[in-house]
Amino acid sequence: MKAQGRLAGRCWYTLALAVLAVGALSVAAVSRDDEHVSENDEQSDSVRLKTPTGKAESVPEGRRYLDASLSVDERVEDLLARMTLEEKLGQMTQIEVDSVNPGDVAHYGLGSVLSGGGGVPPDNNPEAWADMIDAFQEEALSIRLGIPLIYGVDAVHGHNNVVGATIFPHNIGLGAAGDAELVRDIGEATAIEMLATGASWNFAPVLAVPQDIRWGRTYEAYSDDTDIVTKLSVAFLEGLQSIERLPLVVGTPKHFVADGAVEWGTSEHPEGWRIDQGDTSIGEEELREVHLAPYKAAIDAGARTVMGSFSSWQGVKLHGRRDVLTGMLRDDLGFDGLLVSDWGAIDQIDPDYRTAVVTAVNAGIDMNMVPYDAQRWVGTLKAAVQDGDVPLERIDEAVRRILRVKFEMGLFEQPFAVRELLPEVGSKNHRALARRAAAASVVPLVGGDRLPLDRSVGRVLVAGEADDVGTAAGGWTITWQGRRGDITPGATILQGVEEAVSAETHVEVSRLGHTDESAEIGIVVVGEAPYAEGVGDVEVPALSEEDHGIIARARAHVDTLVVVVVSGRPLLLGTATDLADVVVAAWLPGSEAAGVADALFGVEELTGTLPMAWPDAIDQIGPGRAKPWLPRGHSG
Ligand code: BGC
Ligand code: BGC
């Protein structure tokens, strides 16, 4: 039924284009074959499309909003004037794919559907994604006003829920690379892979400026320095939004604001998280200087959507703060796009759901990432509007912003997946870019003068997690938390070593570092197993006992010991720095982790520097920390 709908939609669209192509001035009749059309004064309306060359036909009686030759504001006002309260509330609703039942898109007139981490079609491949999203889109187009939905994903290091997509290094590694041009290219490649599957809304970049590496989201940020975060997040956003084909992809600076300032021990998350979603007590000046500044730059660079932060500021949840969401974001920074809530974050404002909803909407949230129960949200907000607790003008304002973004993106003109881009998903070019990025993010912590390694070495021992795509990719890969193992195609660090060394070199692999032979070079990959968000909050970020064991075993058999730390943040390395000749930080290099070996063996130049300080004792972590072992900017 959905498939038929898509074909019908397609046929209509193709036909309309064909009519225009032969220069016919007659009006292509639109019949929306649909039982949902209730108030059918609109049903037999006629439409003319903007020609591909931009020459507009005269037209639509009735549905002026479909006339692409009108200004965005005219289209928004025309459409808004036709909408019922229910239709408006539907536009303000975003539901996660796993909670969307058949018929819900049409029933609620959903403004948006998202894939959370791991919200994937049963058969997880790029084409199945396109089918899934197009089917939602057909349903959205099939109802009375035919407003396209906007499909959201967290493509935070590539289109990372999709098996077969290119997985780029997480942002902390790109902070180490420090190359805006590279990050821009990654934004562009990510947009192309998204468009191929029908997703045009990216919940990225993260603008957090994290001040405490115990936070499980540290790796989602580029750096703990405002200027680096600003430079690279703007580069990503510009790359992402630069693809000149419809629909335009939009990015989402998040999480507004000061999520990176949360303090250890303040989280009230029911699963025992310690810092994520917690509180920051910093003063307004610091909030503005350190944490708000990147938003100003991102908005000036064309950000059209922003996401709120789960966290609170001075004890009050940010999703309920009008002084911040409207005062700072709108009045001070001049943002006129769409403000979306984070995942169920409105619910945390107040134990009474209705109070929470009224507070958030009046504070300035335009769309709610509900994400589970549409009925509860829509019903509650509707009652609040009818009782006058939320003014209708506030609803109109929110819907205006949502529609404006959809019109600007060209979603009304081209709502579907751009399938001719499917071959670009995980393409050779994109993987080469990711591999270059992985190489560029490598930072020598100690012994950098012993690099590059000799490619014609006789024997190399490789130990630890060197052959694991999942570990190198980290959280937010295929699933929310990520996981070890062959979760998606990629080229591992081991593969990179094998490619870098000479044909005569013998590469021995021993995960735990056991061997009977000695080797000139040992490469031991240790660090963190994948995690995301508060699940990754840890009191003492450090190498594990197991890691130390592997390092010690390998040490006994090799001349030059290279320890590669794969992690989402700096870790306390303990005796590893004494045992190893070389220690490098590789962060979370992604599916093309082979690039790390390229950097070690001189296939690529070593240019990375620390995007944040690296401690070697616990008192160097968190607010008021002691002078760090290695400062930001270090490379050695
Ligand atoms: C995260 C956001 C993310 C959203 C959707 C939330 O838990 O905080 O960063 O965009 O989920 O997956
Ligand atoms: C989803 C994530 C989301 C998280 C929030 C998970 O189930 O997959 O996208 O960020 O819940 O708690």
Side-chain angles (χ1 to χ4, degrees), residues 114 116 154 203 217 254-255 307 310 342-343 369 476 533:
L114 87 142
D154 297 285
F203 306 131
R217 306 196 77 155
K254 70 183 186 183
H255 309 80
M307 186 186 292
F310 273 117
D342 201 347
W343 182 280
M369 186 186 290
W476 294 106
E533 300 190 41

Side-chain angles (χ1 to χ4, degrees), residues 85-86 89 354 379-392:
L85 178 60
E86 287 77 8
L89 301 182
R354 183 183 162 116
T380 304
L381 182 53
K382 187 174 173 188
V385 173
Q386 285 166 342
D387 295 349
D389 293 337
V390 174
L392 195 54

Side-chain angles (χ1 to χ4, degrees), residues 570-626:
L571 298 179
L572 301 181
L573 301 174
T575 55
T577 48
D578 305 325
L579 290 180
D581 300 291
V582 180
V583 181
V584 303
W587 314 105
L588 297 169
S591 63
E592 310 313 306
V596 174
D598 296 343
L600 293 178
F601 284 95
V603 179
E604 295 277 353
E605 222 182 311
L606 267 172
T607 53
T609 60
L610 282 182
M612 58 184 65
W614 194 295
D616 67 354
I618 189 77
D619 68 347
Q620 296 163 23
I621 295 175
R625 51 193 172 262

